[in-house]
mmCIF file of all heavy atoms in Angstrom:
data_model
loop_
_atom_site.group_PDB
_atom_site.id
_atom_site.type_symbol
_atom_site.label_atom_id
_atom_site.label_comp_id
_atom_site.label_asym_id
_atom_site.label_seq_id
_atom_site.Cartn_x
_atom_site.Cartn_y
_atom_site.Cartn_z
ATOM 1 N N ILE A 194 -12.639 2.423 3.389
ATOM 2 C CA ILE A 194 -13.556 2.520 4.522
ATOM 3 C C ILE A 194 -13.397 3.890 5.178
ATOM 4 O O ILE A 194 -12.315 4.240 5.636
ATOM 5 C CB ILE A 194 -13.261 1.420 5.568
ATOM 6 C CG1 ILE A 194 -13.332 0.027 4.936
ATOM 7 C CG2 ILE A 194 -14.217 1.534 6.753
ATOM 8 C CD1 ILE A 194 -12.880 -1.091 5.871
ATOM 9 N N PHE A 205 -16.395 -5.382 12.676
ATOM 10 C CA PHE A 205 -15.276 -5.020 11.812
ATOM 11 C C PHE A 205 -14.592 -6.272 11.260
ATOM 12 O O PHE A 205 -14.146 -6.291 10.107
ATOM 13 C CB PHE A 205 -14.263 -4.161 12.554
ATOM 14 C CG PHE A 205 -13.164 -3.653 11.662
ATOM 15 C CD1 PHE A 205 -13.419 -2.699 10.697
ATOM 16 C CD2 PHE A 205 -11.870 -4.165 11.760
ATOM 17 C CE1 PHE A 205 -12.422 -2.245 9.846
ATOM 18 C CE2 PHE A 205 -10.863 -3.718 10.920
ATOM 19 C CZ PHE A 205 -11.135 -2.757 9.961
ATOM 20 N N LEU A 209 -13.727 -7.331 7.344
ATOM 21 C CA LEU A 209 -12.462 -7.864 6.811
ATOM 22 C C LEU A 209 -12.684 -9.212 6.135
ATOM 23 O O LEU A 209 -12.084 -9.491 5.091
ATOM 24 C CB LEU A 209 -11.442 -8.008 7.943
ATOM 25 C CG LEU A 209 -10.830 -6.714 8.482
ATOM 26 C CD1 LEU A 209 -9.832 -7.038 9.592
ATOM 27 C CD2 LEU A 209 -10.137 -5.932 7.375
ATOM 28 N N SER A 213 -11.862 -9.976 2.320
ATOM 29 C CA SER A 213 -10.911 -11.048 2.066
ATOM 30 C C SER A 213 -11.484 -12.093 1.113
ATOM 31 O O SER A 213 -10.759 -12.658 0.290
ATOM 32 C CB SER A 213 -10.509 -11.710 3.387
ATOM 33 O OG SER A 213 -9.573 -12.735 3.172
ATOM 34 N N CYS A 222 -6.979 -2.457 0.561
ATOM 35 C CA CYS A 222 -8.061 -1.944 1.392
ATOM 36 C C CYS A 222 -7.443 -0.847 2.257
ATOM 37 O O CYS A 222 -6.381 -1.049 2.854
ATOM 38 C CB CYS A 222 -8.647 -3.057 2.266
ATOM 39 S SG CYS A 222 -9.798 -2.478 3.539
ATOM 40 N N LEU A 223 -8.081 0.313 2.305
ATOM 41 C CA LEU A 223 -7.527 1.419 3.073
ATOM 42 C C LEU A 223 -8.652 2.201 3.722
ATOM 43 O O LEU A 223 -9.825 2.015 3.399
ATOM 44 C CB LEU A 223 -6.709 2.342 2.182
ATOM 45 C CG LEU A 223 -7.483 3.135 1.116
ATOM 46 C CD1 LEU A 223 -6.799 4.472 0.848
ATOM 47 C CD2 LEU A 223 -7.553 2.331 -0.198
ATOM 48 N N LEU A 226 -10.440 3.264 10.797
ATOM 49 C CA LEU A 226 -11.243 2.441 11.698
ATOM 50 C C LEU A 226 -11.213 3.070 13.085
ATOM 51 O O LEU A 226 -10.255 3.754 13.453
ATOM 52 C CB LEU A 226 -10.740 0.995 11.741
ATOM 53 C CG LEU A 226 -9.315 0.685 12.214
ATOM 54 C CD1 LEU A 226 -9.267 0.551 13.728
ATOM 55 C CD2 LEU A 226 -8.822 -0.608 11.592
ATOM 56 N N LYS A 243 0.903 -3.742 16.942
ATOM 57 C CA LYS A 243 0.894 -5.204 17.066
ATOM 58 C C LYS A 243 -0.521 -5.744 16.970
ATOM 59 O O LYS A 243 -0.770 -6.776 16.347
ATOM 60 C CB LYS A 243 1.534 -5.606 18.399
ATOM 61 C CG LYS A 243 3.037 -5.365 18.468
ATOM 62 C CD LYS A 243 3.600 -5.754 19.827
ATOM 63 C CE LYS A 243 5.091 -5.495 19.896
ATOM 64 N NZ LYS A 243 5.647 -5.831 21.243
ATOM 65 N N TRP A 244 -1.468 -5.027 17.587
ATOM 66 C CA TRP A 244 -2.856 -5.454 17.546
ATOM 67 C C TRP A 244 -3.393 -5.416 16.117
ATOM 68 O O TRP A 244 -4.064 -6.335 15.658
ATOM 69 C CB TRP A 244 -3.694 -4.550 18.451
ATOM 70 C CG TRP A 244 -5.143 -4.938 18.530
ATOM 71 C CD1 TRP A 244 -5.743 -5.753 19.433
ATOM 72 C CD2 TRP A 244 -6.190 -4.507 17.632
ATOM 73 N NE1 TRP A 244 -7.083 -5.860 19.169
ATOM 74 C CE2 TRP A 244 -7.385 -5.114 18.073
ATOM 75 C CE3 TRP A 244 -6.221 -3.663 16.522
ATOM 76 C CZ2 TRP A 244 -8.604 -4.905 17.434
ATOM 77 C CZ3 TRP A 244 -7.432 -3.462 15.866
ATOM 78 C CH2 TRP A 244 -8.610 -4.076 16.323
ATOM 79 N N MET A 245 -3.066 -4.340 15.410
ATOM 80 C CA MET A 245 -3.507 -4.194 14.019
ATOM 81 C C MET A 245 -2.939 -5.300 13.137
ATOM 82 O O MET A 245 -3.650 -5.905 12.329
ATOM 83 C CB MET A 245 -3.065 -2.834 13.484
ATOM 84 C CG MET A 245 -3.815 -1.646 14.053
ATOM 85 S SD MET A 245 -5.389 -1.340 13.226
ATOM 86 C CE MET A 245 -4.820 -0.719 11.632
ATOM 87 N N GLU A 246 -1.646 -5.555 13.294
ATOM 88 C CA GLU A 246 -0.998 -6.575 12.474
ATOM 89 C C GLU A 246 -1.605 -7.949 12.722
ATOM 90 O O GLU A 246 -1.829 -8.719 11.787
ATOM 91 C CB GLU A 246 0.501 -6.597 12.764
ATOM 92 C CG GLU A 246 1.228 -5.365 12.229
ATOM 93 C CD GLU A 246 2.693 -5.326 12.642
ATOM 94 O OE1 GLU A 246 3.073 -6.116 13.549
ATOM 95 O OE2 GLU A 246 3.451 -4.509 12.082
ATOM 96 N N LYS A 247 -1.904 -8.257 13.975
ATOM 97 C CA LYS A 247 -2.499 -9.553 14.308
ATOM 98 C C LYS A 247 -3.897 -9.680 13.731
ATOM 99 O O LYS A 247 -4.259 -10.713 13.136
ATOM 100 C CB LYS A 247 -2.540 -9.724 15.830
ATOM 101 C CG LYS A 247 -3.135 -11.058 16.277
ATOM 102 C CD LYS A 247 -3.131 -11.176 17.792
ATOM 103 C CE LYS A 247 -3.741 -12.503 18.225
ATOM 104 N NZ LYS A 247 -3.768 -12.626 19.717
ATOM 105 N N LEU A 248 -4.709 -8.632 13.882
ATOM 106 C CA LEU A 248 -6.080 -8.662 13.380
ATOM 107 C C LEU A 248 -6.117 -8.805 11.865
ATOM 108 O O LEU A 248 -6.829 -9.663 11.322
ATOM 109 C CB LEU A 248 -6.813 -7.388 13.799
ATOM 110 C CG LEU A 248 -8.213 -7.193 13.199
ATOM 111 C CD1 LEU A 248 -9.164 -8.269 13.699
ATOM 112 C CD2 LEU A 248 -8.755 -5.799 13.515
ATOM 113 N N PHE A 249 -5.349 -7.987 11.171
ATOM 114 C CA PHE A 249 -5.391 -8.008 9.715
ATOM 115 C C PHE A 249 -4.750 -9.268 9.151
ATOM 116 O O PHE A 249 -5.257 -9.850 8.183
ATOM 117 C CB PHE A 249 -4.718 -6.760 9.151
ATOM 118 C CG PHE A 249 -5.623 -5.555 9.112
ATOM 119 C CD1 PHE A 249 -5.837 -4.791 10.246
ATOM 120 C CD2 PHE A 249 -6.267 -5.187 7.932
ATOM 121 C CE1 PHE A 249 -6.674 -3.680 10.216
ATOM 122 C CE2 PHE A 249 -7.102 -4.082 7.891
ATOM 123 C CZ PHE A 249 -7.316 -3.324 9.034
ATOM 124 N N MET A 250 -3.626 -9.697 9.729
ATOM 125 C CA MET A 250 -2.960 -10.889 9.216
ATOM 126 C C MET A 250 -3.835 -12.131 9.384
ATOM 127 O O MET A 250 -3.840 -13.020 8.524
ATOM 128 C CB MET A 250 -1.617 -11.092 9.925
ATOM 129 C CG MET A 250 -0.795 -12.243 9.357
ATOM 130 S SD MET A 250 -0.416 -12.054 7.588
ATOM 131 C CE MET A 250 0.804 -10.737 7.651
ATOM 132 N N SER A 251 -4.606 -12.188 10.468
ATOM 133 C CA SER A 251 -5.492 -13.336 10.685
ATOM 134 C C SER A 251 -6.602 -13.383 9.649
ATOM 135 O O SER A 251 -7.257 -14.415 9.476
ATOM 136 C CB SER A 251 -6.102 -13.281 12.089
ATOM 137 O OG SER A 251 -6.941 -12.151 12.240
ATOM 138 N N ASN A 252 -6.818 -12.272 8.956
ATOM 139 C CA ASN A 252 -7.822 -12.227 7.899
ATOM 140 C C ASN A 252 -7.205 -12.116 6.513
ATOM 141 O O ASN A 252 -7.892 -11.803 5.537
ATOM 142 C CB ASN A 252 -8.771 -11.052 8.135
ATOM 143 C CG ASN A 252 -9.737 -11.293 9.286
ATOM 144 O OD1 ASN A 252 -10.749 -11.965 9.132
ATOM 145 N ND2 ASN A 252 -9.410 -10.764 10.460
ATOM 146 N N GLY A 253 -5.887 -12.339 6.441
ATOM 147 C CA GLY A 253 -5.224 -12.407 5.144
ATOM 148 C C GLY A 253 -4.655 -11.116 4.601
ATOM 149 O O GLY A 253 -4.345 -11.028 3.409
ATOM 150 N N PHE A 254 -4.454 -10.111 5.467
ATOM 151 C CA PHE A 254 -3.943 -8.822 5.005
ATOM 152 C C PHE A 254 -2.627 -8.448 5.678
ATOM 153 O O PHE A 254 -2.426 -8.732 6.857
ATOM 154 C CB PHE A 254 -4.946 -7.699 5.319
ATOM 155 C CG PHE A 254 -6.247 -7.795 4.571
ATOM 156 C CD1 PHE A 254 -7.326 -8.449 5.129
ATOM 157 C CD2 PHE A 254 -6.379 -7.228 3.318
ATOM 158 C CE1 PHE A 254 -8.537 -8.534 4.449
ATOM 159 C CE2 PHE A 254 -7.576 -7.309 2.628
ATOM 160 C CZ PHE A 254 -8.662 -7.965 3.195
ATOM 161 N N ARG A 255 -1.762 -7.812 4.914
ATOM 162 C CA ARG A 255 -0.596 -7.148 5.479
ATOM 163 C C ARG A 255 -0.970 -5.679 5.634
ATOM 164 O O ARG A 255 -1.367 -5.028 4.661
ATOM 165 C CB ARG A 255 0.620 -7.303 4.570
ATOM 166 C CG ARG A 255 1.853 -6.536 5.077
ATOM 167 C CD ARG A 255 3.094 -6.875 4.287
ATOM 168 N NE ARG A 255 2.890 -6.706 2.854
ATOM 169 C CZ ARG A 255 3.104 -7.673 1.951
ATOM 170 N NH1 ARG A 255 3.501 -8.866 2.343
ATOM 171 N NH2 ARG A 255 2.909 -7.443 0.664
ATOM 172 N N VAL A 256 -0.864 -5.141 6.854
ATOM 173 C CA VAL A 256 -1.360 -3.803 7.121
ATOM 174 C C VAL A 256 -0.253 -2.852 7.544
ATOM 175 O O VAL A 256 0.745 -3.269 8.131
ATOM 176 C CB VAL A 256 -2.461 -3.841 8.219
ATOM 177 C CG1 VAL A 256 -1.856 -4.205 9.570
ATOM 178 C CG2 VAL A 256 -3.220 -2.517 8.298
ATOM 179 N N GLU A 257 -0.439 -1.599 7.216
ATOM 180 C CA GLU A 257 0.482 -0.541 7.633
ATOM 181 C C GLU A 257 -0.330 0.613 8.193
ATOM 182 O O GLU A 257 -1.260 1.100 7.545
ATOM 183 C CB GLU A 257 1.314 -0.057 6.442
ATOM 184 C CG GLU A 257 2.244 1.097 6.775
ATOM 185 C CD GLU A 257 2.982 1.637 5.573
ATOM 186 O OE1 GLU A 257 2.861 1.040 4.478
ATOM 187 O OE2 GLU A 257 3.661 2.680 5.709
ATOM 188 N N PHE A 282 -5.108 3.593 7.854
ATOM 189 C CA PHE A 282 -4.336 2.393 7.494
ATOM 190 C C PHE A 282 -4.420 2.102 5.998
ATOM 191 O O PHE A 282 -5.310 2.574 5.289
ATOM 192 C CB PHE A 282 -4.865 1.172 8.262
ATOM 193 C CG PHE A 282 -6.228 0.706 7.790
ATOM 194 C CD1 PHE A 282 -6.336 -0.266 6.804
ATOM 195 C CD2 PHE A 282 -7.391 1.252 8.308
ATOM 196 C CE1 PHE A 282 -7.582 -0.688 6.351
ATOM 197 C CE2 PHE A 282 -8.641 0.844 7.862
ATOM 198 C CZ PHE A 282 -8.736 -0.139 6.883
ATOM 199 N N VAL A 283 -3.470 1.293 5.542
ATOM 200 C CA VAL A 283 -3.492 0.718 4.195
ATOM 201 C C VAL A 283 -3.153 -0.752 4.347
ATOM 202 O O VAL A 283 -2.180 -1.104 5.024
ATOM 203 C CB VAL A 283 -2.458 1.386 3.260
ATOM 204 C CG1 VAL A 283 -2.444 0.672 1.912
ATOM 205 C CG2 VAL A 283 -2.786 2.858 3.061
ATOM 206 N N ALA A 284 -3.957 -1.634 3.739
ATOM 207 C CA ALA A 284 -3.729 -3.071 3.852
ATOM 208 C C ALA A 284 -3.728 -3.710 2.471
ATOM 209 O O ALA A 284 -4.469 -3.285 1.582
ATOM 210 C CB ALA A 284 -4.813 -3.712 4.724
ATOM 211 N N GLU A 285 -2.891 -4.737 2.307
ATOM 212 C CA GLU A 285 -2.807 -5.463 1.045
ATOM 213 C C GLU A 285 -3.303 -6.889 1.232
ATOM 214 O O GLU A 285 -2.921 -7.573 2.191
ATOM 215 C CB GLU A 285 -1.366 -5.488 0.518
ATOM 216 C CG GLU A 285 -1.227 -6.215 -0.812
ATOM 217 C CD GLU A 285 0.209 -6.275 -1.293
ATOM 218 O OE1 GLU A 285 1.100 -5.768 -0.571
ATOM 219 O OE2 GLU A 285 0.447 -6.833 -2.388
ATOM 220 N N LEU A 287 -3.346 -10.679 0.853
ATOM 221 C CA LEU A 287 -2.317 -11.689 0.609
ATOM 222 C C LEU A 287 -2.903 -13.018 0.139
ATOM 223 O O LEU A 287 -2.184 -13.875 -0.363
ATOM 224 C CB LEU A 287 -1.500 -11.934 1.886
ATOM 225 C CG LEU A 287 -0.791 -10.711 2.480
ATOM 226 C CD1 LEU A 287 -0.055 -11.113 3.754
ATOM 227 C CD2 LEU A 287 0.169 -10.081 1.480
ATOM 228 N N ARG A 288 -4.202 -13.187 0.321
ATOM 229 C CA ARG A 288 -4.861 -14.430 -0.058
ATOM 230 C C ARG A 288 -5.529 -14.295 -1.433
ATOM 231 O O ARG A 288 -5.699 -13.204 -1.953
ATOM 232 C CB ARG A 288 -5.927 -14.803 0.970
ATOM 233 C CG ARG A 288 -5.407 -15.074 2.369
ATOM 234 C CD ARG A 288 -6.572 -15.298 3.315
ATOM 235 N NE ARG A 288 -6.125 -15.543 4.688
ATOM 236 C CZ ARG A 288 -6.944 -15.617 5.726
ATOM 237 N NH1 ARG A 288 -8.249 -15.452 5.561
ATOM 238 N NH2 ARG A 288 -6.465 -15.838 6.943
#
Side-chain angles (χ1 to χ4, degrees):
I194 303 173
F205 186 70
L209 287 180
S213 181
C222 170
L223 67 149
L226 61 86
K243 290 179 181 178
W244 182 92
M245 288 277 289
E246 289 174 347
K247 181 179 179 181
L248 173 65
F249 277 81
M250 185 58 72
S251 64
N252 287 279
F254 294 93
R255 176 171 53 235
V256 69
E257 177 184 354
F282 71 92
V283 175
E285 181 182 1
L287 302 179
R288 297 175 181 172

